[in-house]
Structures are given as C-alpha cells and as structure tokens.
Amino acid sequence: MKLYKILLKISIYISIKLFKIRLPLSYSFYNFLYKKLILKIKNNNDYILKFEEHGFSKLNLDFEDLIEKYNIKHSKVKEKDFNNHRTYFFLEKKHEKSFQNDLLKKINPIIKDLENYYNVPVYLLNFKAFRIEHFNHIAHKNLELYANKFHNDGYVMNFFKIFINLENISDNDGPLHLISKKYTKEFINKTNYHNRDNYKSNFDDSIIFKNTGKKGSSLIFSPSLCFHKAGIPNNYRDTIQLVLAALPINKKELSNEDLNIFEDNKHLIYLTKPYGFFHSLKFLINNFKHKHA
C-alpha cells in the first residue's frame, strides 16, 4: 500500500476518534475552526438553525412549477457503465439559460440566508436530474451502484447540496437516508463504523431520517457532515441535485448569473476539497479574509 493511502487511513481513523466524523483530519480541523471563526449561527431562520443542528433541513420551497414548466424528464440518457442503474434527464439547450434564471429567482432568498450563515458568498454550481433504479442489493450486497452505503463526502463544510423530489417519494421509492449530526457518535458506536464497506448494517434505524415528500419538495443537507446513503427503490426514484458552495470570491468578480450550472464547474467545486493541512489552512484564511462581518 502506498504511503499516502496509509497516512490517509491514519488521518481518518484519528478524525473518527476525535471528531466523530469520517473525514481527513485536516478537514475536521478546518470545520472546527470555520465554525469558531467565521460561521454565524445566531439570528438565523428556523431552517438554517435546523441545518446547523442536524446537518440537513427541509426547505419551504416548492419546485413543482419549474418541473412542469420545463418538462425536466422529457429527455433522458442511460448511464453508460456495466451496472446501468442510473438514468440522467436533460433539458434542451435552448431552455437551459431560461431555466437557470427561473431557478435562481426561486432560490435567491435561500442563497442570501446561507450567505449570512456561512458569512461568505454562496454559489449555485451544478444541476443534475437523474433516476436511480432498483437492483437486488441482497443478492449483490458487496456492490455499491449509486452510493447506497453510509458515507460522508470528502469535502470541507463549505460544500453542500439541495435535493428536489421529481415525483412523490414514499418509503418504497428509496428516499435519501440521513443521519443527523446529533446522532453521529451513536451511529459510529452502534455500527462500529470504519468505512462505507465496513460497518454493521443492523442498527436502530429510528435515527435515520428518510427524505420522503411530495413532488417539488426540497431539502438542504451537508454531505460531508452527515452520514448518508441512497435508499434502494422498489422501482425507481427521480431526483434533482443542486450543488452549492460557500466560496471566498467577491460577487463583483463572479456572480451566480455568470455561471453555467449545466457545466461541471469542477475548478470551483474542488476549492472545497483542499489537499492536506497546508491547503486547508490556506482556504480557511481566504474565507476569513472574505467574511462579511
């Protein structure tokens, strides 16, 4: 095994023991300092306070009008891999800019609340609409076709997502499964969690929040701070995923209107994935320099 992989395993092991989160130790320190030095928790809306407390929160936003107006599931392409259990939906090119403008109008109040919370500018970086389909997870228990095992995403806390239900989602439709930050320690202890391939799956599932809801309903969550997984649907589940990030970039230099959310924008997303302690500290300092107050 290469040295960097050994060091990463040691880093994550220490992070689990000290911070009760499966992230590199540099990210756990970053998040700890960001919360102490930059984050503004007081005087926020209820859903922001729930987001802070649990790592996720339902939004009082209904996107059904946009779903219907742009017929989002009109064009679809099957994922080209051997598992073939995911389908992506695409808008026609001629509608992309109009859709993005309408989407930003709807979520701009949320973005402003998040900018107050993160204390730096917040950007909508990426849009994906997709379907995950049923597979026999008992017969193929070692397969992970679409993030269907509990895990954290490897980003600092500036990275987060909004999920929108493209159809009514019940427990039978494989909703997103989330573990509140309040139950992270309990989850790690009860599952003897080491990594996404090494934990006990038979635990008290009353601590799992399942993102069920009506068509157009939405949820914000932090995939790096919340253990989560995709549920396995009896048939399929249709979802929109919006990727957002709090970034130390002056809005006069770059605005949400300047971005194309149908591009990957990896150069911006990867700012929230700094390599090692030095780059994590550098990113923290940049955020501190750009904080609003």
Side-chain angles (χ1 to χ4, degrees):
M1 185 181 292
K2 293 184 178 179
L3 180 59
Y4 80 90
K5 289 187 176 180
I6 295 173
L7 293 175
L8 179 61
K9 280 194 170 185
I10 294 171
S11 170
I12 289 174
Y13 175 81
I14 295 172
S15 188
I16 289 175
K17 292 297 182 182
L18 290 182
F19 294 97
K20 301 302 178 185
I21 195 75
R22 192 186 180 277
L23 290 174
L25 190 57
S26 58
Y27 288 11
S28 293
F29 274 122
Y30 173 97
N31 292 341
F32 175 80
L33 292 173
Y34 194 100
K35 187 170 181 178
K36 293 289 185 183
L37 300 175
I38 303 171
L39 204 67
K40 289 173 64 179
I41 299 173
K42 294 181 179 179
N43 302 319
N44 275 299
N45 292 332
D46 286 346
Y47 75 89
I48 294 289
L49 294 177
K50 287 179 181 177
F51 180 56
E52 163 60 25
E53 180 181 8
H54 298 286
F56 60 84
S57 178
K58 285 282 193 178
L59 295 175
N60 189 26
L61 273 183
D62 189 332
F63 292 84
E64 186 172 3
D65 56 339
L66 287 185
I67 293 169
E68 295 295 334
K69 178 179 178 180
Y70 290 95
N71 194 14
I72 287 176
K73 295 196 289 183
H74 172 70
S75 301
K76 58 184 180 181
V77 176
K78 197 79 164 178
E79 188 173 47
K80 294 179 180 179
D81 64 20
F82 78 99
N83 291 320
N84 219 21
H85 284 274
R86 183 174 288 203
T87 297
Y88 288 92
F89 303 112
F90 294 89
L91 273 75
E92 294 181 64
K93 284 283 184 183
K94 62 183 180 181
H95 296 315
E96 286 184 352
K97 189 61 179 177
S98 174
F99 173 83
Q100 180 170 335
N101 290 338
D102 285 348
L103 179 62
L104 281 172
K105 286 177 186 175
K106 187 173 284 287
I107 69 168
N108 265 335
I110 303 294
I111 288 176
K112 288 179 181 178
D113 289 340
L114 289 165
E115 287 181 337
N116 181 60
Y117 171 68
Y118 280 101
N119 212 6
V120 295
V122 166
Y123 291 92
L124 173 61
L125 299 178
N126 186 251
F127 166 95
K128 280 190 176 70
F130 56 87
R131 168 177 292 177
I132 62 171
E133 299 166 2
H134 174 79
F135 80 99
N136 190 332
H137 62 290
I138 296 175
H140 302 89
K141 61 182 180 180
N142 293 323
L143 279 180
E144 186 172 14
L145 300 188
Y146 39 70
N148 49 282
K149 297 180 181 180
F150 275 110
H151 64 283
N152 301 110
D153 290 3
Y155 300 86
V156 295
M157 64 182 292
N158 300 58
F159 175 88
F160 52 100
K161 297 178 178 180
I162 291 175
F163 272 28
I164 302 165
N165 292 331
L166 266 173
E167 294 292 350
N168 295 339
I169 303 296
S170 71
D171 197 36
N172 294 325
D173 301 309
L176 176 68
H177 288 47
L178 298 160
I179 303 293
S180 167
K181 286 161 49 178
K182 291 172 62 175
Y183 300 127
T184 299
K185 182 178 180 180
E186 179 181 346
F187 171 77
I188 289 174
N189 291 338
K190 287 188 173 180
T191 61
N192 193 24
Y193 193 95
H194 293 282
N195 57 57
R196 65 202 302 160
D197 296 311
N198 185 3
Y199 68 90
K200 296 176 184 176
S201 58
N202 55 336
F203 63 97
D204 178 11
D205 63 2
S206 66
I207 66 172
I208 299 175
F209 175 86
K210 297 179 182 180
N211 185 32
T212 57
K214 293 182 178 181
K215 179 179 180 178
S217 61
S218 56
L219 170 137
I220 184 172
F221 89 106
S222 172
S224 62
L225 300 183
C226 282
F227 279 101
H228 62 283
K229 71 170 186 174
I232 297 175
N234 291 347
N235 191 3
Y236 60 82
R237 167 166 61 91
D238 294 344
T239 302
I240 291 173
Q241 173 188 273
L242 305 177
V243 173
L244 299 96
L247 298 174
I249 302 173
N250 192 319
K251 284 261 179 126
K252 293 179 180 178
E253 299 172 9
L254 179 68
S255 71
N256 272 300
E257 289 72 21
D258 296 327
L259 295 166
N260 182 354
I261 62 173
F262 299 96
E263 296 178 354
D264 56 33
N265 289 312
K266 287 182 179 178
H267 63 297
L268 296 173
I269 292 174
Y270 281 1
L271 290 174
T272 64
K273 200 176 181 71
Y275 179 74
F277 274 95
F278 174 77
H279 290 101
S280 296
L281 180 60
K282 184 178 178 181
F283 187 52
L284 180 75
I285 292 171
N286 284 339
N287 277 273
F288 186 81
K289 287 179 179 178
H290 284 80
K291 71 175 185 173
H292 295 151

